[in-house]
Amino acid sequence: MIKTKVSIIMPAYNVADFIAESINSVLAQSFIEWELLIIDDCSSDTTVKVITPFLSDLRIKLIKNQKNLGGAGSRNVGIKEANGRYIAFLDSDDLWTESKLEKQISFMEHRSIGFSFAAHTTIDEQGSVLEKVDVPKRVSFKGLLKHNYIGCLTAIYDTKPYGKIYLPLVKKRQDFALWLELLKKFDNAYAMNESLGFYRIRPGSLSRNKVDAFKYYWLVLRDVGGCSFLFASFNILCYLGIVFIKKKNVKIYNKYFIG
């Protein structure tokens, strides 16, 4: 059994065109005390074939689901198998900067932070840079209800205070649901407003279906956030307003929601 400091959870489903680049961004880390748990969710393409050569590095482990579990179920399989003190997340089409773990773990340890995140940069399907996504210095449970500021590829939590915390089994907005569960334990999530990763936007991906995204945001507010109908409605209006401002005027967004 590998004992290490950071366990990286990477679910994979039909990502043969992207996962090698994602794995290589982990291998390029200046921080080396990690294990990478790749959970293949019954891919029907050559994803497993692409992963196999990387298994010569003993820090990388491939777990094959016997049935399709979806993103939340697959991440929970990885969390269950994790040996690291810190749990980090990287989807199989996203990338990290080389100093991501080094900077973020140092940030957490020097300030005794249990839950952290960072800014990231969006890229298109071909890898071309689109824009930086800034983040506030910290966010609380109530603050997160209004807008999910935490990019999954940047989130890390410490298992030492409360043990492993798993994702609620929702089809979408599962990362948002996990952050709420974590913020029921940790007072705040603290951020580095430095881009430490690249989030790939792909046409047709689950996260791009706006109607479903809105629906599941509502369900998470109600089921995980514990919001009444009126309070969930208020938070939905806040969410829509923040998204609108962010798209129309980044300067105003940065001044009032990030600054």
Side-chain angles (χ1 to χ4, degrees), residues 145 218 221-223 225-236:
L145 292 174
W218 170 267
L221 286 176
R222 296 279 278 157
D223 297 341
C227 297
S228 67
F229 181 88
L230 287 177
F231 193 40
S233 300
F234 169 75
N235 285 311
I236 281 285

Side-chain angles (χ1 to χ4, degrees), residues 34-105:
W34 53 261
E35 64 173 351
L36 173 60
L37 303 173
I38 306 172
I39 306 91
D40 179 68
D41 200 22
C42 303
S43 294
S44 58
D45 67 355
T46 59
T47 293
V48 171
K49 184 177 180 180
V50 173
I51 295 168
T52 300
F54 290 102
L55 301 180
S56 59
D57 189 316
L58 298 181
R59 296 173 297 176
I60 300 175
K61 180 180 179 181
L62 172 63
I63 303 168
K64 296 181 182 180
N65 290 341
Q66 296 302 306
K67 62 179 181 178
N68 188 276
L69 299 178
S74 294
R75 290 187 181 95
N76 284 344
V77 168
I79 293 172
K80 183 178 180 181
E81 294 296 320
N83 296 306
R85 171 177 170 175
Y86 295 94
I87 304 292
F89 300 92
L90 180 63
D91 284 352
S92 48
D93 54 357
D94 296 335
L95 310 170
W96 280 348
T97 61
E98 292 183 2
S99 59
K100 196 268 188 191
L101 288 179
E102 180 181 3
K103 288 182 175 180
Q104 198 166 346
I105 295 300

Side-chain angles (χ1 to χ4, degrees), residues 197-210:
F198 298 91
Y199 173 75
R200 195 184 305 270
I201 297 175
R202 292 196 286 149
S205 65
L206 279 176
S207 60
R208 305 302 292 170
N209 188 320
K210 301 301 183 185

